[in-house]
Amino acid sequence: MLYQSKIAGLGYYVPENVVTNEDLSKLMDTNDEWITERTGIKERRHIKEGDGNSTAIMGVKAAKIALERANIDKDDIDLIVFATLSPDYYFPGCGVQVQEMLDIKTCPALDVRNQCSGFIYGLSVADQFIKTGMYKNVLLIGSENHSGGLDMTTRGRGVSVIFGDGAGAAVLTRSNHNGQGILSTHLHSEGKHALELALKGPSTMHWVPELIEENPQEDIPYFPYMNGQYVFKNAVKRFSEVIIEGLQENGLEVADIDMLIPHQANLRISQFIQQKFKLKDEQVFNNIQKYGNTTAASIPIALTEAWEQGKIKDGDKIVLAAFGSGFTWASAVINW
Ligand SMILES: CC(C)(COP(=O)(O)OP(=O)(O)OC[C@H]1O[C@@H](n2cnc3c(N)ncnc32)[C@H](O)[C@@H]1OP(=O)(O)O)[C@@H](O)C(=O)NCCC(=O)NCCS
């Protein structure tokens, strides 16, 4: 017999330090008009030196809120799934740090490395474990510390203005009510595009001393590279496909969507999808204007805010969709 999983609690945390487009224009040759027009972003949060945050620590802050709202004791968590592209350490992953910081006995912890699709990939992992009955409660976290690794000079402006820091968390549990919960998840990848949106070093192929020696100043590959227009074109195609795939699997129409929560990649991408599917404003949730693109954290932060604002109600059909580095893309359909 297969069980069904549902989201029992949500939480998010963003650092207090607000970085506006105006603030960025003091560090690099950019301006509010360019950033707003191209991305919709007005401000983002960046960890500030001394504020005590890290990817794992922000994840824990979000997780504590989600656990409290789920009314599930930390010791009843059977598995931690942590999605991030910006872990505190090269290894071990952030999942084990969360296990330690939350003082959860010796439960398994695994990290998911699927960038902007990381939260939905993680949701799928959690869902499968709950479905089979192996685990009852799973803590899923998406968290990113982008600001620690961005090129904040004019050289990096095409990438650095887009990304922000933050964390979101969801507690998944076995659903008691027939039909309430995750209906399906849909995951894809196409590795031939891997280097169109990538951070090459440091890595086992591009180690730090070698990098410094080979690239004294220019073209340092330990800052992220993004082929912006190429990413944009692929994103709108794959977002559309994977949303349709999720709807079809469940016999739903676009009109049945109560809320689409797209990964907050770029407001222009979300608007393109909204127009393509002729969705009303109240059917799509966006908060990239305030937080930028927080990669694996963007969907849980947006989902939490939408829920906090009363925009998600029992029985609603919620669609999550993401696209990002890999390329990877994914969707999830939830009967709330
Ligand atoms: C990144 C993105 C906003 C860039 O917009 P674009 O219209 O493609 O802009 P381009 O990269 O062609 O650059 C246009 C010009 O603006 C300049 N520019 C780049 N970043 C800038 C910035 N922050 N401020 C001011 N000018 C900037 C470029 O140098 C270029 O100047 P040039 O014409 O003199 O060479 C856009 O491609 C995009 O949104 N891509 C998708 C990104 C995304 O969603 N990533 C996350 C995926 S999960």
Side-chain angles (χ1 to χ4, degrees):
M1 180 194 145
L2 283 183
Y3 295 99
Q4 189 169 20
S5 74
K6 67 169 185 178
I7 293 177
L10 288 163
Y12 80 93
Y13 171 82
V14 288
E16 279 176 25
N17 178 33
V18 177
V19 178
T20 64
N21 294 344
E22 178 67 24
D23 293 332
L24 291 181
S25 72
K26 291 175 191 147
L27 301 172
M28 60 185 84
D29 182 11
T30 190
N31 55 74
D32 178 53
E33 195 189 347
W34 192 97
I35 301 171
T36 306
E37 206 174 277
R38 300 280 210 302
T39 70
I41 300 165
K42 299 301 282 183
E43 57 189 47
R44 72 288 292 143
R45 305 297 178 97
H46 281 179
I47 288 178
K48 210 173 181 176
E49 214 181 318
D51 74 4
N53 280 313
S54 74
T55 298
I57 291 169
M58 290 190 295
V60 165
K61 289 176 182 176
K64 282 183 175 167
I65 299 168
L67 282 164
E68 197 182 325
R69 286 175 174 168
N71 200 20
I72 287 175
D73 191 88
K74 64 173 177 66
D75 290 322
D76 291 327
I77 292 296
D78 302 307
L79 168 71
I80 297 165
V81 181
F82 200 112
T84 187
L85 63 66
S86 51
D88 291 359
Y89 309 121
Y90 192 91
F91 71 86
C94 288
V96 296
Q97 290 177 266
V98 171
Q99 178 272 324
E100 162 66 10
M101 284 189 242
L102 285 179
D103 191 23
I104 302 176
K105 34 184 171 48
T106 58
C107 80
L110 74 86
D111 279 39
V112 167
R113 294 283 311 274
N114 289 85
Q115 300 68 249
C116 299
S117 309
F119 186 80
I120 302 182
Y121 266 74
L123 188 76
S124 183
V125 171
D127 183 44
Q128 309 315 312
F129 275 118
I130 292 173
K131 259 188 192 154
T132 58
M134 180 159 171
Y135 296 134
K136 193 171 171 211
N137 301 314
V138 179
L139 172 60
L140 169 62
I141 298 171
S143 180
E144 304 289 0
N145 168 10
H146 281 302
S147 64
L150 294 173
D151 180 356
M152 300 301 279
T153 69
T154 297
R155 183 181 53 192
R157 65 183 178 174
V159 175
S160 301
V161 300
I162 293 176
F163 294 97
D165 302 340
V171 176
L172 284 101
T173 192
R174 192 183 289 171
S175 173
N176 296 322
H177 306 291
N178 198 13
Q180 187 194 19
I182 314 296
L183 298 180
S184 64
T185 54
H186 308 271
L187 314 178
H188 296 278
S189 75
E190 199 171 29
K192 70 179 178 187
H193 309 294
L195 297 184
E196 303 295 346
L197 177 50
L199 175 63
K200 283 195 191 172
S203 73
T204 48
M205 293 212 299
H206 303 275
W207 204 240
V208 178
E210 173 201 326
L211 279 179
I212 293 167
E213 212 170 288
E214 285 178 9
N215 303 279
Q217 287 302 325
E218 296 304 314
D219 195 25
I220 300 171
Y222 54 83
F223 287 123
Y225 167 78
M226 178 171 71
N227 184 346
Q229 291 181 13
Y230 191 79
V231 170
F232 195 104
K233 278 183 207 143
N234 279 273
V236 291
K237 176 171 180 268
R238 299 307 193 181
F239 262 111
S240 305
E241 283 174 10
V242 82
I243 290 169
I244 294 290
E245 186 183 357
L247 292 174
Q248 282 178 349
E249 170 81 14
N250 295 288
L252 299 170
E253 308 275 337
V254 167
D256 296 321
I257 299 176
D258 291 298
M259 184 63 82
L260 169 66
I261 305 215
H263 158 55
Q264 303 291 292
N266 180 319
L267 192 61
R268 303 290 159 253
I269 294 177
S270 296
Q271 288 170 336
F272 183 96
I273 303 300
Q274 179 175 346
Q275 279 160 17
K276 182 169 176 182
F277 290 135
K278 299 189 173 59
L279 293 166
K280 297 186 201 111
D281 285 349
E282 55 270 28
Q283 285 176 287
V284 185
F285 191 84
N286 288 302
N287 61 5
I288 191 170
Q289 301 90 331
K290 293 189 293 180
Y291 303 127
N293 178 339
T294 57
T295 307
S298 95
I299 288 181
I301 293 175
L303 188 58
T304 307
E305 278 204 336
W307 177 80
E308 285 175 352
Q309 293 168 17
K311 293 181 175 167
I312 295 178
K313 299 174 296 299
D314 283 359
D316 279 356
K317 302 289 177 294
I318 310 298
V319 177
L320 313 179
F323 174 89
S325 161
F327 292 151
T328 59
W329 60 102
S331 68
V333 183
I334 305 172
N335 183 19
W336 200 262

